[in-house]
Amino acid sequence: MTTPLDPEHIPVSDEAYSRPTKKSSGDWSAHIATTLERLAELLETLTDEQWEAQSLCDDWRVRDVVGHIVWRVGEANGTMMRRSIKNLGRAGFNIAKSISQIGIEVGKSPRVELIERLREIAAEKLQGHGRIGFIELTEAVVHTYDITEALELPIRLSPRSTGAVARVQAESPRGGKNTRIAKEHSLRATDARWLVGQGSPIDATAGEIIMHLFGRRSLV
Protein backbone atom coordinates (compact mmCIF):
# COMPACT_ATOMS: atom_id res chain seq x y z
CA MET A 1 0.00 0.00 0.00
CA THR A 2 1.10 3.51 -0.68
CA THR A 3 0.91 6.10 2.05
CA PRO A 4 -1.19 9.16 1.15
CA LEU A 5 0.87 12.29 0.76
CA ASP A 6 0.46 15.03 3.32
CA PRO A 7 -1.22 17.89 1.36
CA GLU A 8 1.19 20.33 3.01
CA HIS A 9 4.15 18.55 1.39
CA ILE A 10 2.85 17.86 -2.10
CA PRO A 11 5.21 19.58 -4.56
CA VAL A 12 3.57 22.43 -6.45
CA SER A 13 4.49 22.91 -10.09
CA ASP A 14 5.45 26.31 -11.49
CA GLU A 15 2.52 25.78 -13.85
CA ALA A 16 0.21 26.51 -10.91
CA TYR A 17 1.58 30.07 -10.91
CA SER A 18 1.30 32.73 -13.60
CA ARG A 19 3.93 35.17 -14.74
CA PRO A 20 2.96 38.80 -14.11
CA THR A 21 2.77 41.33 -16.88
CA LYS A 22 6.02 43.07 -17.67
CA LYS A 23 4.24 46.05 -19.19
CA SER A 24 4.82 49.01 -16.94
CA SER A 25 3.43 51.78 -19.14
CA GLY A 26 -0.14 52.96 -19.28
CA ASP A 27 -2.86 53.79 -16.80
CA TRP A 28 -2.57 52.14 -13.38
CA SER A 29 -5.10 54.41 -11.70
CA ALA A 30 -7.48 51.69 -10.49
CA HIS A 31 -4.64 49.64 -9.01
CA ILE A 32 -3.15 52.65 -7.24
CA ALA A 33 -6.56 53.53 -5.84
CA THR A 34 -7.19 49.99 -4.59
CA THR A 35 -3.79 49.87 -2.86
CA LEU A 36 -4.40 53.19 -1.12
CA GLU A 37 -7.91 52.22 -0.03
CA ARG A 38 -6.73 48.96 1.49
CA LEU A 39 -3.88 50.73 3.24
CA ALA A 40 -6.33 53.29 4.65
CA GLU A 41 -8.54 50.48 5.96
CA LEU A 42 -5.59 48.87 7.71
CA LEU A 43 -4.34 52.16 9.17
CA GLU A 44 -7.71 52.71 10.85
CA THR A 45 -7.10 49.60 12.95
CA LEU A 46 -3.64 50.55 14.24
CA THR A 47 -2.87 51.52 17.80
CA ASP A 48 -0.92 54.63 18.77
CA GLU A 49 2.14 52.45 19.32
CA GLN A 50 1.87 50.92 15.85
CA TRP A 51 1.63 54.36 14.23
CA GLU A 52 4.91 55.29 15.94
CA ALA A 53 6.60 51.93 15.23
CA GLN A 54 9.61 51.57 12.95
CA SER A 55 8.76 50.59 9.37
CA LEU A 56 11.01 48.62 7.05
CA CYS A 57 12.04 51.86 5.35
CA ASP A 58 15.22 53.17 6.99
CA ASP A 59 14.67 55.85 9.65
CA TRP A 60 10.92 56.09 8.93
CA ARG A 61 8.19 55.31 11.39
CA VAL A 62 4.84 54.08 10.09
CA ARG A 63 3.41 57.63 10.12
CA ASP A 64 6.46 58.89 8.18
CA VAL A 65 5.83 56.32 5.45
CA VAL A 66 2.19 57.39 5.25
CA GLY A 67 3.31 61.01 5.00
CA HIS A 68 5.64 60.10 2.14
CA ILE A 69 2.86 58.30 0.24
CA VAL A 70 0.49 61.24 0.69
CA TRP A 71 3.11 63.63 -0.67
CA ARG A 72 4.74 61.47 -3.34
CA VAL A 73 1.60 59.87 -4.79
CA GLY A 74 -0.95 62.57 -4.02
CA GLU A 75 0.66 65.92 -4.75
CA ALA A 76 0.35 67.54 -8.17
CA ASN A 77 3.56 67.56 -10.20
CA GLY A 78 4.14 71.29 -9.84
CA THR A 79 3.45 71.34 -6.11
CA MET A 80 5.69 68.35 -5.50
CA MET A 81 8.57 69.83 -7.49
CA ARG A 82 8.30 73.24 -5.83
CA ARG A 83 8.33 71.73 -2.38
CA SER A 84 11.28 69.51 -3.28
CA ILE A 85 13.33 72.43 -4.60
CA LYS A 86 12.42 74.64 -1.65
CA ASN A 87 13.49 71.95 0.82
CA LEU A 88 16.81 71.08 -0.86
CA GLY A 89 18.76 73.80 0.92
CA ARG A 90 17.50 72.66 4.31
CA ALA A 91 18.66 69.14 3.43
CA GLY A 92 22.15 70.24 2.42
CA PHE A 93 21.25 69.68 -1.25
CA ASN A 94 20.95 65.96 -0.58
CA ILE A 95 17.95 64.74 -2.59
CA ALA A 96 17.37 61.57 -0.56
CA LYS A 97 17.53 63.50 2.70
CA SER A 98 15.15 66.13 1.33
CA ILE A 99 12.60 63.48 0.35
CA SER A 100 12.89 61.91 3.80
CA GLN A 101 12.38 65.25 5.54
CA ILE A 102 9.25 66.03 3.53
CA GLY A 103 7.73 62.63 4.31
CA ILE A 104 8.39 63.10 8.01
CA GLU A 105 6.94 66.60 7.93
CA VAL A 106 3.74 65.51 6.16
CA GLY A 107 3.49 62.52 8.49
CA LYS A 108 3.15 64.84 11.50
CA SER A 109 -0.47 65.49 10.50
CA PRO A 110 -3.16 63.88 12.67
CA ARG A 111 -3.86 60.24 11.89
CA VAL A 112 -7.45 60.94 10.84
CA GLU A 113 -6.30 63.56 8.33
CA LEU A 114 -3.66 61.26 6.82
CA ILE A 115 -6.17 58.43 6.37
CA GLU A 116 -8.75 60.80 4.90
CA ARG A 117 -6.15 62.16 2.49
CA LEU A 118 -5.24 58.65 1.32
CA ARG A 119 -8.88 58.07 0.48
CA GLU A 120 -9.12 61.41 -1.32
CA ILE A 121 -6.06 60.52 -3.39
CA ALA A 122 -7.58 57.13 -4.24
CA ALA A 123 -10.75 58.85 -5.48
CA GLU A 124 -8.70 61.34 -7.51
CA LYS A 125 -6.77 58.52 -9.17
CA LEU A 126 -9.97 56.74 -10.15
CA GLN A 127 -11.04 59.94 -11.90
CA GLY A 128 -7.74 59.98 -13.79
CA HIS A 129 -6.33 62.99 -11.95
CA GLY A 130 -2.64 63.45 -11.24
CA ARG A 131 0.08 60.89 -11.84
CA ILE A 132 -1.42 57.47 -12.56
CA GLY A 133 1.62 55.60 -13.87
CA PHE A 134 3.68 52.64 -12.79
CA ILE A 135 6.04 54.71 -10.64
CA GLU A 136 3.12 55.76 -8.44
CA LEU A 137 1.88 52.17 -8.26
CA THR A 138 5.34 51.04 -7.16
CA GLU A 139 5.49 53.75 -4.50
CA ALA A 140 2.09 52.72 -3.15
CA VAL A 141 2.75 48.97 -3.15
CA VAL A 142 6.30 49.00 -1.77
CA HIS A 143 5.59 51.49 0.99
CA THR A 144 2.38 49.70 1.96
CA TYR A 145 4.47 46.58 2.52
CA ASP A 146 7.06 48.66 4.40
CA ILE A 147 4.28 49.17 6.94
CA THR A 148 2.49 45.82 6.97
CA GLU A 149 5.58 43.62 6.89
CA ALA A 150 7.18 45.58 9.73
CA LEU A 151 4.03 45.25 11.84
CA GLU A 152 3.50 41.63 10.72
CA LEU A 153 -0.04 42.41 9.62
CA PRO A 154 -1.74 40.80 6.61
CA ILE A 155 -3.04 42.88 3.74
CA ARG A 156 -4.57 41.72 0.47
CA LEU A 157 -3.32 43.70 -2.51
CA SER A 158 -4.17 43.04 -6.14
CA PRO A 159 -2.03 40.18 -7.53
CA ARG A 160 -1.74 42.08 -10.81
CA SER A 161 -0.31 45.09 -8.95
CA THR A 162 2.11 43.17 -6.76
CA GLY A 163 3.16 40.85 -9.57
CA ALA A 164 3.92 43.68 -11.97
CA VAL A 165 5.94 45.56 -9.34
CA ALA A 166 7.91 42.41 -8.50
CA ARG A 167 8.62 41.46 -12.12
CA VAL A 168 9.71 44.92 -13.25
CA GLN A 169 12.04 45.21 -10.26
CA ALA A 170 13.41 41.68 -10.67
CA GLU A 171 14.23 42.30 -14.33
CA SER A 172 15.55 45.84 -13.91
CA PRO A 173 19.25 46.32 -14.73
CA ARG A 174 19.28 48.84 -11.88
CA GLY A 175 17.81 46.38 -9.39
CA GLY A 176 21.16 45.76 -7.71
CA LYS A 177 22.28 42.78 -5.67
CA ASN A 178 18.83 42.11 -4.27
CA THR A 179 17.48 41.06 -7.67
CA ARG A 180 20.23 38.52 -8.36
CA ILE A 181 18.17 35.90 -6.58
CA ALA A 182 15.70 35.95 -9.48
CA LYS A 183 18.45 34.72 -11.83
CA GLU A 184 18.82 31.52 -9.81
CA HIS A 185 15.39 30.96 -8.31
CA SER A 186 11.71 31.16 -9.14
CA LEU A 187 10.21 33.42 -6.50
CA ARG A 188 6.67 32.15 -6.02
CA ALA A 189 4.09 34.29 -4.26
CA THR A 190 1.94 31.74 -2.46
CA ASP A 191 -0.77 34.27 -1.59
CA ALA A 192 -0.97 35.86 -5.06
CA ARG A 193 -0.13 32.85 -7.29
CA TRP A 194 2.49 34.58 -9.45
CA LEU A 195 6.17 33.89 -9.93
CA VAL A 196 9.18 35.84 -11.10
CA GLY A 197 12.67 34.64 -11.92
CA GLN A 198 13.84 31.19 -12.92
CA GLY A 199 15.39 28.15 -11.35
CA SER A 200 14.67 26.25 -8.14
CA PRO A 201 11.61 27.64 -6.34
CA ILE A 202 11.51 29.77 -3.24
CA ASP A 203 8.01 30.14 -1.81
CA ALA A 204 7.04 33.27 0.12
CA THR A 205 4.29 35.84 0.28
CA ALA A 206 4.07 38.68 -2.23
CA GLY A 207 5.08 41.10 0.51
CA GLU A 208 8.14 39.08 1.49
CA ILE A 209 9.28 38.78 -2.13
CA ILE A 210 8.84 42.49 -2.85
CA MET A 211 10.60 43.47 0.37
CA HIS A 212 13.56 41.33 -0.69
CA LEU A 213 13.68 42.70 -4.24
CA PHE A 214 13.67 46.26 -2.89
CA GLY A 215 16.38 45.57 -0.32
CA ARG A 216 14.31 45.62 2.85
CA ARG A 217 14.71 42.02 3.99
CA SER A 218 16.37 38.85 2.73
CA LEU A 219 14.53 35.74 1.63
CA VAL A 220 17.56 33.50 2.16
Side-chain angles (χ1 to χ4, degrees), residues 60 68 71 80-105:
W60 280 359
H68 174 79
W71 171 70
M80 186 177 70
M81 291 301 297
R82 284 192 295 273
R83 187 166 192 173
S84 299
I85 293 169
K86 184 178 180 179
N87 195 68
L88 267 178
R90 186 163 68 96
F93 297 95
N94 182 312
I95 295 175
K97 185 177 179 180
S98 178
I99 290 172
S100 180
Q101 288 177 345
I102 294 171
I104 292 171
E105 186 175 337

Side-chain angles (χ1 to χ4, degrees), residues 93-189:
F93 297 95
N94 182 312
I95 295 175
K97 185 177 179 180
S98 178
I99 290 172
S100 180
Q101 288 177 345
I102 294 171
I104 292 171
E105 186 175 337
V106 176
K108 291 177 181 177
S109 300
R111 292 166 47 176
V112 173
E113 291 182 12
L114 290 169
I115 294 170
E116 182 181 357
R117 182 63 188 132
L118 283 177
R119 290 204 160 106
E120 289 173 352
I121 296 167
E124 291 165 4
K125 299 303 179 188
L126 281 178
Q127 294 171 4
H129 297 162
R131 298 180 307 281
I132 53 175
F134 193 75
I135 292 175
E136 286 67 46
L137 175 69
T138 301
E139 289 276 345
V141 167
V142 173
H143 288 308
T144 290
Y145 282 137
D146 277 330
I147 293 170
T148 60
E149 290 294 306
L151 297 177
E152 299 182 347
L153 295 175
I155 190 167
R156 178 67 174 170
L157 300 184
S158 158
R160 186 165 187 263
S161 299
T162 59
V165 168
R167 181 168 185 176
V168 169
Q169 178 69 4
E171 296 179 359
S172 170
R174 299 185 298 277
K177 64 180 181 180
N178 299 297
T179 61
R180 292 175 191 165
I181 191 172
K183 293 178 171 43
E184 301 174 355
H185 297 280
S186 296
L187 307 179
R188 306 192 305 189

